[in-house]
Amino acid sequence: MNKIFQILIFFLIAHCGFQPIYSSKNFVENIKVKTVIYKGDKSFNNKLENKFLAFFINNENAKLEINIESIVNKIISSKDSKGNPSTFELKVQTLLLIYEDGGLKNKINFEEISRYDNKDNKFELKLYEKTIIESLSLKISNQIKRHISTLPL
């Protein structure tokens, strides 16, 4: 009876409809595009561009044109009793515009926020902000890849 129960559980779990997000069926490895234009924050766009080097393949005969516009804002979210900043909020907004044959096909906004404490050493604070921007660019680039992979192209 125990073996029958184990086999029954195995078949129920194995056929539950689970599919990994990045499987070859669900995830396009690269997209042929005519042009990719980056606007906005240069340092953040450079990080995005490096993450998309293998994903977007330039092809003059392709129909897709991609515009990526990004804004990075550093906001003081709280101050101590002396009025000095104690926590910051780094907010990255990225607008993805996909054009096909000259007309707008898709428009979507991606937003990531990270909160962090102030540091006494400003050099360490700048380095920490760079690592935060790097991780946010990775998150947004993965979201963009996932979004483009789900579009009927």
Side-chain angles (χ1 to χ4, degrees), residues 17-28:
F18 171 77
Q19 290 183 344
I21 293 174
Y22 292 113
S23 75
S24 59
K25 295 177 189 173
N26 297 336
F27 191 71
V28 178

Side-chain angles (χ1 to χ4, degrees), residues 73-150:
N73 289 324
K74 179 181 171 183
I75 303 164
I76 299 171
S77 55
S78 68
K79 294 183 179 185
D80 61 9
S81 60
K82 296 178 184 177
N84 298 325
S86 60
T87 59
F88 294 102
E89 182 177 280
L90 199 61
K91 184 178 184 180
V92 177
Q93 295 173 313
T94 304
L95 178 65
L96 173 69
L97 301 167
I98 301 173
Y99 295 93
E100 187 173 24
D101 294 326
L104 183 64
K105 179 178 182 169
N106 196 292
K107 175 182 176 181
I108 188 165
N109 192 25
F110 300 97
E111 183 175 291
E112 288 292 328
I113 298 173
S114 180
R115 292 173 183 82
Y116 56 97
D117 292 331
N118 193 6
K119 297 184 182 289
D120 293 332
N121 188 337
K122 298 306 172 193
F123 179 71
E124 286 180 13
L125 181 65
K126 278 288 186 196
L127 288 177
Y128 187 58
E129 287 172 354
K130 284 183 180 182
T131 58
I132 290 172
I133 288 176
E134 181 68 35
S135 69
L136 293 178
S137 70
L138 180 63
K139 285 181 182 179
I140 288 181
S141 68
N142 286 336
Q143 290 174 0
I144 289 173
K145 287 176 184 178
R146 233 177 290 133
H147 178 73
I148 291 175
S149 296
T150 60

Side-chain angles (χ1 to χ4, degrees), residues 1-16:
M1 182 69 178
N2 192 17
K3 282 205 178 246
I4 294 173
F5 182 70
Q6 289 177 347
I7 291 172
L8 181 64
I9 293 295
F10 172 75
F11 281 116
L12 288 175
I13 291 175
H15 299 290
C16 67

